[in-house]
Amino acid sequence: MTDSDDALLPLEAVRPAEKAKNLGAPVAAADLPVARVVVDNPLPHLDRPFDYLVPERMDAAAVPGVRVRVRFAGKLVDGFLLERVAGSDHGGRLAALERVVSPEPVLTPEIAGLARAVADRYAGTMADVLRLAVPPRHARAESDRGEPGKGEPDAGGAGTSEAGAAGEDSRAWDPYPMGASFLEALRDGRQPRGVWSALPGNTGWAVPVAEAVRATLDGGRGAVVVVPDGKDVVMADAALTRALGEGRHVAITADLGPAERYRRWLRALRGQVRAVVGTRAAMFAPVEKLGLAVIWDDGDDLHAERLAPYPHAREVLALRAHRAGAGMLIGGYSRTAEATQLLAAGWAGAIVADRATIRAVAPRVRPAGEDGELAKDQAARAARLPSVAWRALRLGLEDGPVLVQVPRRGYLPALACRTCRAPARCAHPPTRATITEELLCHGPLALRGGHAAPYCRWCGRIAGDWRCPSCGDKRIRASVVGARRTAEELGRAFPSVPVKTSGRDGVLATVGEGRALVVATPGAEPVAAGGYTAAVLLDGWAMLGRADLRAAEEAVRRWMNAAALLRPAAELVVLADAAMPAVQALLRWDPITHAERELADRRELGFPPAVRMATLTGSPSAVREMLGEVRLPSAAQVLGPVPVETRRSDGEQERAMIRVPRSVGPELALALKGATGVRAARKAQDVVRVSVDPLDLI
């Protein structure tokens, strides 16, 4: 350990073995006696490797990448051994490794370098990134070496094996003029990078992805595929099995359980498989000789890590592909501004079908204004549908299932006064607080069901005696209608048709070909066998009207993901104003122009990805104190701080935004990390959360 911090143990120089014996110190290994260890410590001012002595008895086991236990600041902590060197720059005595936890080298040099780069990119610590990258150890999984005869494939090269021959008749990339050259580059071991606009249709996106992975494996390299959720993992897993054959890849998700997840992760580490598919944690999968990194639907917020330093899977995979000399595929039915930025910078090329092919498979989209249509059709009012949407569902049900997308889950998740339309809020005081106007909860009221009383979504109390503070009316109305209420209304409108719901309370993976009304929230739409015959996208205003920088981009993404599940040329009704650019993108099935306009608008306004932006969130005093201490680049602009809406239990919070040109991003991250390190060193009580390029800027 080589740190002069007064909280750490005293250090002495490495001595020859004979002198060490006389002093009672452990005998050092004869060759490369110093181990550089990254310690599991989140303090930013201690984010660097520390040198430890390798005892002679641990010489064989202490190899780069293994887990170790060391003394750090008087405590026994975990760490990873990064490398062995001949000596240390520090002149004091080195503390010895306490023990090697496991002989398994779980931290590969590639992942170690990637973790360091990700920490620097997001102003975090390497220890925090390694918690995301390397799963917890399970001894029983490590003892299963996967010998032949136990169902494990051999660890030989990919080549043109039995797996390579599987699925050779697939022509999934034929509709894309650049598809064949992309696959050829992967087979040749080159590093093609593409932003892929997938065609709609029930054949799905997973088959082309699997074919790209197979081409990579045929070239002797490995692949990592990252998708938003477990439903997508199931689809990709099945497609990869058909394309590669059994046992040539692993699927890793959180619901596997720690032991099974670790066992599959070890198969990739040991080279027993060369392809991994999973949710965002799979971006760090230790695939040998990475040749292709794939991210599907990169605009989904599930790709953003919720733990510090909050990396995004797209950025991590792009960084990893660049460092490893690998190819990359960013795919989706829509396109994000971030992917468009990569195209504009020349880092990637576009993979798009021609317009004739797109028109042949895209749905027939019809916009519908809600209030006017409902006024014309009294019968449709019972189901909260304009006549054009009602007709689309009725005709679609003659041939199979239809889809209704509802942007909110629940029954009535938002209520308002029936007379003055003021939002209905909780009037109860928080627990153990005196009843004063300043301390009232003010949480939003909602309904769980048709016969339930309103309740507060923050404190959970029943608000049966609610009265509007503005006009005194006791009656309430729905300002937002949830999926369960919509399903109830549709069930009354179509009494002979089964109604199925899919959302947070229960996600359906698939539905059959029979008549059914499927009500789903965005991202939870099940795949229909043969495709949906029609679809209605409700409450377009609810998505387009959100106070969010990505509101329009997110609306296009959610609409196109749902529309892609329809049969070719099926009817799609969207309840939104046809003049809106997002609705026009859906009408023409042209997410590219919309994404280019989004990027241009963000350049003009100075928002990511045109610039780098970081947010500081915490108590007002802590945020202002940190802004006064941090040494920002000269090009930095500080916006705020301004109050942030939080629950009462969180206390008063403020947020400041710091904006710099993209080229100055590394300097900004370094400055913010230095400022957090200073605060940590002096043990500041209030924590300031630092987030670089967060999704929730507005």
Side-chain angles (χ1 to χ4, degrees):
M1 196 168 60
T2 60
D3 193 279
S4 56
D5 193 288
D6 56 8
L8 304 181
L9 295 175
L11 310 175
E12 296 179 10
V14 179
R15 295 177 173 82
E18 294 79 6
K19 195 169 183 180
K21 288 181 181 178
N22 296 334
L23 295 174
V27 177
D31 186 36
L32 303 178
V34 177
R36 289 198 171 139
V37 177
V38 56
V39 179
D40 188 5
N41 187 305
L43 297 176
H45 64 295
L46 300 177
D47 182 29
R48 58 186 180 276
F50 292 88
D51 290 353
Y52 285 84
L53 183 72
V54 179
E56 188 178 48
R57 59 186 174 83
M58 300 183 192
D59 187 23
V63 298
V66 298
R67 305 176 200 257
V68 294
R69 296 277 282 175
V70 296
R71 289 281 173 186
F72 189 83
K75 297 179 181 179
L76 197 60
V77 298
D78 295 320
F80 292 98
L81 197 159
L82 294 180
E83 61 178 335
R84 297 261 306 259
V85 294
S88 173
D89 294 336
H90 190 78
R93 176 185 171 189
L94 294 180
L97 300 176
E98 289 290 326
R99 67 186 178 97
V100 175
V101 175
S102 164
E104 190 84 45
V106 293
L107 182 60
T108 65
E110 187 222 348
I111 299 301
L114 177 65
R116 179 70 271 164
V118 170
D120 294 341
R121 163 71 170 82
Y122 286 95
T125 66
M126 187 172 179
D128 282 341
V129 178
L130 289 178
R131 291 193 198 100
L132 306 175
V134 183
R137 177 179 181 253
H138 282 262
R140 182 175 298 178
E142 284 188 351
S143 64
D144 180 10
R145 303 299 301 180
E147 295 88 348
K150 291 189 176 182
E152 304 283 2
D154 69 80
T160 55
S161 61
E162 170 193 351
E168 60 185 0
D169 294 329
S170 176
R171 308 296 295 272
W173 288 99
D174 285 0
Y176 307 93
M178 296 298 295
S181 60
F182 182 78
L183 296 183
E184 183 181 357
L186 292 174
R187 290 191 185 95
D188 292 345
R190 288 177 277 150
Q191 45 183 311
R193 297 162 183 164
V195 176
W196 168 41
S197 298
L199 287 170
N202 203 46
T203 54
W205 51 269
V207 174
V209 168
E211 190 168 336
V213 171
R214 184 165 65 90
T216 306
L217 268 61
D218 287 347
R221 298 184 296 172
V224 170
V225 179
V226 177
V227 297
D229 56 32
K231 177 167 62 74
D232 296 320
V233 172
V234 172
M235 293 179 61
D237 184 30
L240 285 170
T241 299
R242 291 191 297 270
L244 307 180
E246 294 286 346
R248 302 295 299 185
H249 77 283
V250 290
I252 300 177
T253 57
D255 58 3
L256 290 171
E260 177 60 20
R261 180 185 173 198
Y262 187 51
R263 188 183 73 84
R264 297 189 184 190
W265 185 87
L266 285 174
R267 289 180 61 190
L269 175 71
R270 294 167 178 170
Q272 294 166 345
V273 295
R274 303 288 291 277
V276 173
V277 60
T279 49
R280 63 175 179 263
M283 60 188 171
F284 293 108
V287 170
E288 184 181 0
K289 291 181 62 178
L290 183 70
L292 176 65
V294 179
I295 183 168
W296 170 253
D297 198 11
D298 66 300
D300 196 312
D301 59 6
L302 291 176
H303 285 303
E305 179 58 58
R306 301 302 191 267
L307 300 175
Y310 321 109
H312 194 285
R314 177 190 54 245
E315 305 302 314
V316 173
L317 289 175
L319 185 59
R320 185 175 182 182
H322 178 74
R323 292 173 54 87
M328 186 167 182
L329 182 63
I330 303 173
Y333 294 117
S334 63
R335 181 181 289 180
T336 61
E338 286 77 10
T340 306
Q341 173 69 32
L342 294 176
L343 289 169
W347 192 85
I351 302 178
V352 186
D354 59 65
R355 290 303 302 174
T357 303
I358 294 173
R359 285 194 293 268
V361 296
R364 295 180 292 112
V365 182
R366 298 185 61 181
E370 296 179 56
D371 294 338
E373 292 287 347
L374 287 174
K376 295 176 185 177
D377 194 332
Q378 297 295 323
R381 185 179 298 176
R384 198 166 53 91
L385 293 172
S387 57
V388 63
W390 191 87
R391 286 195 302 270
L393 293 179
R394 179 172 55 81
L395 293 175
L397 285 170
E398 296 178 0
D399 297 324
V402 296
L403 174 66
V404 178
Q405 186 193 72
V406 184
R408 303 291 176 88
R409 62 178 183 270
Y411 191 77
L412 295 181
L415 302 174
C417 173
R418 178 171 292 186
T419 300
C420 68
R421 307 296 177 92
R425 295 191 174 276
C426 178
H428 288 98
T431 306
R432 297 188 299 276
T434 59
I435 302 178
T436 65
E437 185 179 356
E438 290 76 13
L439 287 176
L440 295 181
C441 172
H442 294 301
L445 299 186
L447 280 178
R448 290 191 177 96
H451 302 288
Y455 77 102
C456 176
R457 290 169 55 192
W458 285 5
C459 69
R461 295 188 183 183
I462 300 299
D465 57 349
W466 178 85
R467 181 186 293 269
C468 179
S470 300
C471 67
D473 197 342
K474 294 183 178 181
R475 298 172 300 170
I476 56 176
R477 69 184 297 274
S479 56
V480 175
V481 179
R484 289 207 308 272
R485 174 63 180 267
T486 301
E488 183 181 290
E489 293 172 346
L490 288 172
R492 290 195 294 264
F494 299 94
S496 62
V497 179
V499 179
K500 302 179 181 181
T501 60
S502 181
R504 183 175 181 179
D505 297 334
V507 177
L508 297 177
T510 59
V511 294
E513 296 181 350
R515 299 173 69 233
L517 269 164
V518 180
V519 181
T521 54
E525 301 92 349
V527 176
Y532 290 101
T533 56
V536 173
L537 309 176
L538 289 179
D539 301 337
W541 59 268
M543 284 197 278
L544 291 172
R546 291 185 306 135
D548 191 320
L549 174 67
R550 293 173 169 81
E553 178 182 281
E554 181 69 359
V556 172
R557 187 187 71 83
R558 291 180 173 186
W559 290 342
M560 287 192 164
N561 284 358
L565 301 176
L566 272 65
R567 297 175 185 176
E571 187 167 9
L572 172 70
V573 178
V574 54
L575 273 63
D577 186 354
M580 300 292 290
V583 181
Q584 285 294 313
L586 183 65
L587 284 169
R588 299 192 304 269
W589 201 267
D590 184 15
I592 298 174
T593 301
H594 186 267
E596 291 171 345
R597 182 183 292 114
E598 276 282 310
L599 181 60
D601 290 345
R602 295 190 199 179
R603 284 196 183 115
E604 182 178 352
L605 297 172
F607 281 119
V611 299
R612 286 270 187 259
M613 187 169 283
T615 59
L616 310 181
T617 308
S619 66
S621 60
V623 171
R624 295 171 190 274
E625 182 181 62
M626 185 167 173
L627 283 174
E629 296 174 345
V630 63
R631 297 181 178 179
L632 294 173
S634 58
Q637 296 177 322
V638 179
L639 310 176
V642 295
V644 178
E645 184 178 350
T646 61
R647 297 186 181 187
R648 293 277 177 175
S649 59
D650 296 333
E652 187 179 359
Q653 298 270 291
E654 285 189 349
R655 182 174 67 175
M657 294 190 290
I658 304 172
R659 178 169 56 195
V660 298
R662 286 183 62 86
S663 60
V664 188
E667 295 179 42
L668 174 63
L670 183 62
L672 293 176
K673 183 176 178 180
T676 56
V678 170
R679 291 181 57 80
R682 69 164 184 257
K683 300 180 180 178
Q685 291 185 346
D686 293 335
V687 176
V688 176
R689 172 179 167 175
V690 176
S691 184
V692 177
D693 290 343
L695 293 180
D696 54 343
L697 280 175
I698 299 177

